[in-house]
Amino acid sequence: DAVADTIPRDLWLTVIEEKQNQLRFAGSAFSPTAVADFMANLRRSGKFKDVDLIVSRQDPTKTPRIVTFEVSCVAEI
């Protein structure tokens, strides 16, 4: 539930991996702003720390311009 509350409407997660308290999220979004909002929401929740963007890609030749991304963080739950 802690993760679900942080996901913006225009972003979806395709991978959630956990090793001890280290989490890795991968997914797609309609904009880089949605990825930034997701990361900010994780930080603001107080349940995640060390939120880092691993990779973010956007293919300008495709429509719509979907952003694929990976984010890592540490769960404080």
Side-chain angles (χ1 to χ4, degrees), residues 2 4 7 18 20 33 37 43 46 50 54 63 66-68 71:
I7 301 171
E18 178 185 9
Q20 297 174 344
T33 302
D37 290 345
R43 288 183 191 107
D50 300 330
I54 298 170
T63 302
I66 301 294
V67 177
T68 57
V71 171

Side-chain angles (χ1 to χ4, degrees), residues 37-66:
D37 290 345
F38 174 57
M39 294 175 65
N41 292 344
L42 287 169
R43 288 183 191 107
R44 259 192 305 255
S45 74
K47 297 178 182 175
F48 306 96
K49 66 178 183 177
D50 300 330
V51 179
D52 292 314
L53 181 65
I54 298 170
V55 66
S56 176
R57 293 186 186 100
Q58 187 174 27
D59 187 349
T61 64
K62 294 185 179 178
T63 302
R65 291 185 177 173
I66 301 294

Side-chain angles (χ1 to χ4, degrees), residues 3 7 11-17 24-29 38 66-71:
V3 173
I7 301 171
L11 178 142
W12 58 99
L13 298 176
T14 55
V15 175
I16 300 175
E17 293 180 349
R24 184 181 72 87
F25 302 105
S28 301
F38 174 57
I66 301 294
V67 177
T68 57
F69 67 90
E70 289 184 35
V71 171

